[in-house]
Amino acid sequence: MTTGTVLIADDSLVIRAVVRSGLEEDGYRVIEAVDGLTALERCRQDPPDVVLLDIEMPGLDGYQVLSELKRDDELKTIPVVFLTSRSGMDDMVAGLRRGAHDYLKKPFEAAELLARVGSAIHVKKLQDQLKRHNVELDRMSRTDGLTGLYNRWHLEQELARLHNDAVRHADGLCVLLLDIDHFKQVNDVYGHAAGDLVLRAFADRMVSEHRAGDIAGRWGGEEFLVILPRTHRDGALDAAERIRLRIARDPVAVANGDIKVTVSVGCGLGPGPSPDALVHLADGCLYQAKLAGRNRVVASVPPVSQ
């Protein structure tokens, strides 16, 4: 099991061989580059945990390679340790100011090289852990804990973005607002645990019927929202009807019986003047669907432009 991957970029075969030998003996995996351009290619093909970088190299010098790495979102967190014969303070300061993690002068002691590499890899691992933690926090902030669908906050963000796109490109945008019929009775008769099962089953069935590119989530309580980008009336009605039929097709099995579940759907046809106005349209249609007997789809009047 390797300690980590190190890229050594140096035009000296001797330096590369010495560095490789010491690092591999200490458990590191080593890849090599003979010049700046090759170093960038190696980083993009097989991102290392740390880069040992000479300053004076053919083509791109070490400073230029460092600048290119820092401009790349996928590579900018890789620690760079300059390994160079330039020993002046100005050279060291220039490297560190450009974002280098460390600066090691040639000739170097093997123990010091290993210590500097180990320190850089430790920093990289901490950065990677923080990045994964932040990604997970972001995912959790956008996810409904019960159903695993997007939550209202994420839906509002996405609807605002897609509404702007639809207005800019004069494209279609529709939303479906869905409400599980008589859901309060489910909780009252079967209990809240059964109600949670119904919500999860509903979410799974709804998602199984929406198209790639559509965005579905829990709007609140037993209400769900589906955003349909680049969609006009016929496409929205077709999507809504597919979901309605899928929900009604099979009862949901719970501990004390099977529950027949249906859904009423309001379809807002847009994009309309604002995201809120589009959801308001769908909400009005949902109300009409419930007044008309539930388990049905009602759509708003198509925009004049259509």
Side-chain angles (χ1 to χ4, degrees):
M1 185 174 182
T2 61
T3 307
T5 298
V6 180
L7 168 66
I8 168 65
D10 198 302
D11 58 341
S12 167
L13 176 62
V14 173
I15 292 295
R16 295 201 311 274
V18 170
V19 172
R20 172 185 281 276
S21 176
L23 290 174
E24 288 183 339
E25 186 175 334
D26 210 49
Y28 291 98
R29 172 175 170 260
V30 180
I31 52 181
E32 298 183 21
V34 298
D35 55 46
L37 284 174
T38 305
L40 287 174
E41 290 174 4
R42 294 282 191 273
C43 286
R44 289 166 180 151
Q45 293 167 359
D46 185 10
D49 296 302
V50 63
V51 175
L52 293 175
L53 189 60
D54 191 13
I55 292 177
E56 297 176 339
M57 291 187 295
L60 298 180
D61 65 26
Y63 293 141
Q64 292 171 310
V65 172
L66 176 60
S67 296
E68 289 297 317
L69 291 174
K70 293 302 178 184
R71 276 195 286 266
D72 191 317
D73 287 340
E74 298 298 320
L75 305 176
K76 64 184 180 182
T77 61
I78 299 175
V80 172
V81 177
F82 277 120
L83 184 61
T84 178
S85 58
R86 290 191 181 184
S87 58
M89 181 60 67
D90 289 344
D91 293 313
M92 181 184 300
V93 170
L96 295 174
R97 282 182 174 172
R98 284 174 167 83
H101 171 78
D102 208 342
Y103 195 100
L104 186 59
K105 300 171 186 177
K106 301 175 184 175
F108 53 86
E109 293 291 334
E112 184 180 10
L113 173 66
L114 292 174
R116 301 285 181 103
V117 169
S119 173
I121 285 189
H122 178 67
V123 169
K124 178 65 164 56
K125 288 180 178 179
L126 292 177
Q127 289 175 334
D128 289 345
Q129 289 174 3
L130 180 61
K131 183 177 180 180
R132 289 192 296 269
H133 182 63
N134 288 338
V135 168
E136 179 62 16
L137 286 177
D138 181 68
R139 185 195 66 78
M140 291 172 62
S141 75
R142 297 172 181 273
T143 303
D144 173 61
L146 177 64
T147 64
L149 298 181
Y150 291 123
N151 61 19
R152 182 165 182 158
W153 183 82
H154 180 80
L155 291 170
E156 289 175 337
Q157 300 294 312
E158 288 298 287
L159 183 56
R161 177 181 66 82
L162 292 168
H163 184 270
N164 286 336
D165 289 346
V167 171
R168 185 181 304 116
H169 300 295
D171 210 345
L173 176 67
C174 299
V175 298
L176 307 178
L177 191 59
L178 307 95
D179 188 273
I180 301 175
D181 296 327
H182 303 297
F183 183 73
K184 184 177 183 300
Q185 294 181 14
V186 174
N187 283 329
D188 291 345
V189 174
Y190 295 92
H192 288 279
D196 289 349
L197 285 175
V198 168
L199 289 170
R200 285 194 288 265
F202 179 93
D204 291 342
R205 294 175 185 183
M206 181 181 66
V207 169
S208 72
E209 292 298 329
H210 79 54
R211 309 162 305 178
D214 296 343
I215 300 171
R218 189 179 180 190
W219 194 242
E222 66 270 24
E223 283 192 340
F224 294 77
L225 189 81
V226 180
I227 306 171
L228 308 172
R230 298 182 177 179
T231 304
H232 297 283
R233 186 177 191 276
D234 290 346
L237 287 174
D238 179 66
E241 190 63 16
R242 285 200 319 272
I243 293 172
R244 187 191 69 81
L245 292 172
R246 178 65 188 89
I247 298 302
R249 192 176 73 197
D250 302 310
V252 177
V254 298
N256 48 348
D258 290 342
I259 303 174
K260 181 174 175 56
V261 179
T262 62
V263 63
S264 299
V265 186
C267 180
L269 309 177
S274 70
D276 287 343
L278 186 55
V279 174
H280 183 71
L281 273 178
D283 190 46
C285 293
L286 174 60
Y287 180 71
Q288 293 299 320
K290 288 189 172 291
L291 284 181
R294 295 182 168 84
N295 190 23
R296 67 193 63 224
V297 176
V298 174
S300 65
V301 176
V304 174
S305 60
Q306 294 184 34

